[in-house]
Every structure is written in structure tokens, then in C-alpha cells.
Amino acid sequence: MELIPKIDAVKTCKNVSDFFKDDLEKIVLMSGSRMIDLSSPSFEENYSSSKANGIETKLINGLDAQSVVKSVHDALYHGVDLVSQKILIGLYIKHQRWVDIQPLVYREHTSFAAYRKRALLTFAYSFEGWQTKNHCDKVIKLLAYT
């Protein structure tokens, strides 16, 4: 018996990568935050939700941008392992090259692709869960099923 349906790992990784590259910065800006804020573990301490901003954001495009950004932060800091966290923040938040991140996670270049794939997949699962927990109006689905 399968509790969780099988995912299409290739499509899921592409979805997560596209989300980080194409959508996240726009959502972060709409929330009133900055991308660099996501690289800080203390983001939640400085994070304050404004009802007016949340209402404006919902009217603009139907997303609760602040809840989505909080969900990204929670997924990065509470949902993935430390190696995945360093990879995701390095590649997609700080826009570092993989050769610069590789020494930070102590992985050989031949295995870095496998660790990156794992980071993308674990983020997809975690992000979906955190969006539900943070009461996002629309859950952004990054998981692709077979």
C-alpha cells in the first residue's frame, strides 16, 4: 500500500528550480521583504505581518505573499537538512556558483548533482507542508506526480 504517490523527480526538480529562479523574488518583493532576508536564520525575528499589506497582496494576484515567503523560510530552515539548506540558499538565494558552494558542503563535484537533486526534492515536500501550516490562501504545488 502506497501512502504517498510516486513523484516525477525530474519534473519536480525543474518545478522547484523554476520557482526559485522565476517566481520567488517577485513574491518576496510583493511581501515587503528582500531576497537576502531569506538567507538569514533570524528572518522570523524581524518578520512582521501587516494586515494591510497582506490584503493588498491578495487583491493584486490572489497570493498571500507574506505567508508564502514565511513558508519558503520555514522550509529552508526547518524542513530540509543542513547540506540541502546550504545548497539551496547558495544557489538560489545568494546566486553563488556551484563550485563556490561545493566546498561549503564538503562534497566532491561528482556527487554534488545528486545532493542538489535531493535538496530540490526535500524542499518541494517541505514547502508544500509549510504552506498548509502557514495558512497560505493558494498552495503552490511544486511536486509533480507520475
Side-chain angles (χ1 to χ4, degrees):
M1 180 174 145
E2 253 183 67
L3 293 176
I4 300 174
K6 292 189 187 265
I7 65 163
D8 182 326
V10 173
K11 285 183 183 176
T12 297
C13 287
K14 182 175 179 355
N15 290 346
V16 174
S17 184
D18 289 348
F19 171 74
F20 275 115
K21 290 177 183 175
D22 300 334
D23 300 324
L24 182 59
E25 187 169 10
K26 295 170 196 163
I27 295 169
V28 168
L29 291 172
M30 288 172 53
S31 77
S33 300
R34 300 171 304 158
M35 283 294 284
I36 196 69
D37 295 339
L38 285 175
S39 65
S40 170
S42 62
F43 173 77
E44 292 180 52
E45 295 169 12
N46 301 323
Y47 184 80
S48 63
S49 178
S50 161
K51 287 191 180 232
N53 189 30
I55 292 168
E56 288 173 19
T57 301
K58 288 177 189 179
L59 292 173
I60 290 170
N61 76 345
L63 280 176
D64 184 353
Q66 291 178 338
S67 294
V68 172
V69 172
K70 182 168 179 2
S71 298
V72 169
H73 186 271
D74 290 341
L76 287 171
Y77 286 94
H78 307 296
V80 301
D81 60 276
L82 188 58
V83 170
S84 295
Q85 179 189 84
K86 287 181 180 182
I87 291 170
L88 294 170
I89 290 172
L91 286 176
Y92 298 108
I93 307 299
K94 294 182 177 179
H95 303 292
Q96 296 173 309
R97 299 175 311 154
W98 70 267
V99 293
D100 297 327
I101 300 165
Q102 182 185 327
L104 299 176
V105 296
Y106 309 107
R107 303 292 183 242
E108 294 181 22
H109 71 280
T110 55
S111 63
F112 189 78
Y115 284 97
R116 179 183 169 271
K117 178 181 175 182
R118 182 178 189 281
L120 293 169
L121 293 174
T122 57
F123 178 83
Y125 279 111
S126 181
F127 179 55
E128 197 164 307
W130 279 107
Q131 287 178 89
T132 302
K133 188 172 183 175
N134 290 327
H135 309 290
C136 291
D137 289 337
K138 287 184 180 178
V139 174
I140 299 169
K141 305 260 186 202
L142 299 177
L143 293 166
Y145 297 96
T146 57

